[in-house]
Amino acid sequence: MKLFLDTADVDEIRRGARLGVVKGVTTNPSLAAKAGVGGMEGYKAVVQEIASIIDGPISVEVVSPDVEGMITEGKEYATWIPNPWVKLPSTAAGFEAMNALSREGIEINQTLCFSVNQALLGAQAGATAVSPFVGRMDDIGQRGMGLVGEIVAVFRQHGIKTQVLAASIRHAFHCVEAAKAGAHIATVPYPVLAQMAKHPLTDIGLERFLEDWRRANAP
Ligand code: E4P
């Protein structure tokens, strides 16, 4: 399972990139707003900066509610960076735009997916990846990771090539579950990436090794 960073904060992306484990980035309008990005020109600038740090796909989300607007924005995003994944919502308008853009060879990240049926429609419309939102389903008392597993199983059964991208990840254990469920990618906020690296026994063990070394080599 590949790891993407779920942020538009360039400092977090630089820190994550230094670890050598970040294979892509996902952004959305909320993350852009949180990072202080203003307007389409601001979004373009930050997406281009992200692409200069990370080689893999960068997801850039449309902000138009209608098909024509989505298609226009998707085509525009495709000119910004070498490896864009245009994020389109799991709606009738979104599927129509996915169909049009994927036919032009533009990669699609189908976002806001909350059902197997939506995932099936996105795959047929040409999505490169589908993003089930795990945390937001958990929030309303449904098993978000169950949906990830179901989509993986159905896609496998039917030989569907669309990748399953576990999104709305809230903690490090979600990453373990997503990997076990067979997700191809998990997109994680920076604090979750930091959590993944941490174990208290590693810290205690390291401290003890260094202390023993210092004691044995004291003058
Ligand atoms: C990523 O593609 C999604 O937009 C993101 O994971 C949503 O996360 P949230 O539910 O924490 O806002």
Side-chain angles (χ1 to χ4, degrees), residues 6 26 28 87 133 136 167-168 170 187:
D6 196 21
T26 49
N28 65 34
K87 267 176 107 178
F133 272 36
R136 291 194 196 188
S168 189
R170 299 280 165 78
T187 188

Side-chain angles (χ1 to χ4, degrees), residues 28-66:
N28 65 34
S30 306
L31 292 170
K34 191 173 160 203
V37 172
M40 213 36 115
E41 279 311 306
Y43 199 19
K44 179 178 179 180
V46 82
V47 164
Q48 289 181 331
E49 194 173 354
I50 294 169
S52 74
I53 304 167
I54 298 288
D55 277 340
I58 315 298
S59 289
V60 191
E61 185 151 349
V62 299
V63 288
S64 283
D66 61 287

Side-chain angles (χ1 to χ4, degrees), residues 208-218:
R208 198 173 298 159
F209 285 154
L210 296 181
E211 181 51 32
D212 289 347
W213 179 259
R214 271 194 296 271
R215 215 175 297 125
N217 291 281

